[in-house]
Amino acid sequence: MKYLSKLILILAAGVLLANCSGSYKVKKDLNKTGVIKQTPKWYVKYDRETMFKYQESGTAVSPDMELAMKKAILLAKAKLLDRVNGEMNNQTIIEKTETGENEDLTVTAQSKDIINNKVENMIAEGYLVTESEIFITKNKSYRAYVLIEVKKSKLGV
């Protein structure tokens, strides 16, 4: 009886440790050309804002699986904070120049449109990764997709 209870305890501990390992499931990217043809449905279609939270998705590629995940999370956080507290400034410059001699002048025009996007310092405290999928690409890199959420109360919104 003592042996059986120890065995059950060891098995239960093993199952708990296996579930807590945090390992990712890696799927094969079946696309042979490397061009993305399909993304997870939740990556494109999700509630960007509800009464209590914001959500945002991100994707990244890296030869290192953990780095692909970290980059995807950082991009999702940046997109979310930009949406919540981003400021955009637009400046258009149009320049015309006349060159030549006397009445034989030619006009050249040049224009430039500068868009400056600034995100104030904010903290995405308490964000959760609610969805994630990792694909291995034909080039032996990892393509990670993530969906994060942040409670509005954590952002002070």
Side-chain angles (χ1 to χ4, degrees), residues 52-56 77 80-81 123-128 148-155:
F52 300 106
K53 67 183 176 187
Y54 292 106
Q55 286 187 310
E56 192 57 72
K77 286 170 54 177
L80 188 144
L81 294 176
I123 298 173
E125 180 181 79
Y127 74 90
L128 292 172
I148 65 167
E149 74 176 41
V150 178
K151 292 182 180 176
K152 287 183 176 181
S153 62
K154 297 283 187 179
L155 292 177

Side-chain angles (χ1 to χ4, degrees), residues 29 31-40 43-44 59-61 135 137 143-145:
D29 188 354
N31 186 2
K32 293 185 178 24
T33 64
V35 177
I36 300 170
K37 290 187 177 180
Q38 187 174 7
T39 59
Y43 177 76
V44 179
T59 186
V61 176
F135 294 90
T137 68
R143 180 178 289 123
Y145 295 93

Side-chain angles (χ1 to χ4, degrees), residues 4-156:
L4 183 60
S5 63
K6 282 184 181 180
L7 181 63
I8 291 173
L9 183 63
I10 290 171
L11 286 174
V15 169
L16 286 173
L17 284 175
N19 287 336
C20 295
S21 67
S23 62
Y24 301 116
K25 292 182 181 174
V26 179
K27 300 177 180 179
K28 281 199 174 192
D29 188 354
L30 299 177
N31 186 2
K32 293 185 178 24
T33 64
V35 177
I36 300 170
K37 290 187 177 180
Q38 187 174 7
T39 59
K41 288 181 183 178
W42 52 261
Y43 177 76
V44 179
K45 187 174 177 151
Y46 56 92
D47 293 328
R48 284 168 169 67
E49 181 178 357
T50 66
M51 189 173 199
F52 300 106
K53 67 183 176 187
Y54 292 106
Q55 286 187 310
E56 192 57 72
S57 63
T59 186
V61 176
S62 175
D64 181 73
M65 180 173 51
E66 191 63 32
L67 187 56
M69 285 296 290
K70 284 183 178 183
K71 285 169 39 178
I73 291 169
L74 281 173
L75 289 170
K77 286 170 54 177
K79 285 169 48 180
L80 188 144
L81 294 176
D82 178 43
R83 184 164 32 101
V84 172
N85 198 28
E87 295 178 14
M88 193 166 281
N89 186 350
N90 190 11
Q91 178 182 8
T92 303
I93 299 169
I94 299 173
E95 184 179 305
K96 290 187 178 182
T97 307
E98 292 181 350
T99 57
E101 293 182 21
N102 296 332
E103 294 177 8
D104 188 21
L105 298 174
T106 58
V107 177
T108 57
Q110 186 176 12
S111 63
K112 186 179 354 178
D113 195 23
I114 302 169
I115 299 172
N116 187 6
N117 187 17
K118 180 181 177 186
V119 179
E120 289 295 322
N121 291 338
M122 288 184 73
I123 298 173
E125 180 181 79
Y127 74 90
L128 292 172
V129 176
T130 56
E131 298 277 355
S132 67
E133 285 190 43
I134 301 173
F135 294 90
I136 190 158
T137 68
K138 76 171 194 152
N139 298 323
K140 305 292 186 235
S141 287
Y142 297 94
R143 180 178 289 123
Y145 295 93
V146 297
L147 182 67
I148 65 167
E149 74 176 41
V150 178
K151 292 182 180 176
K152 287 183 176 181
S153 62
K154 297 283 187 179
L155 292 177

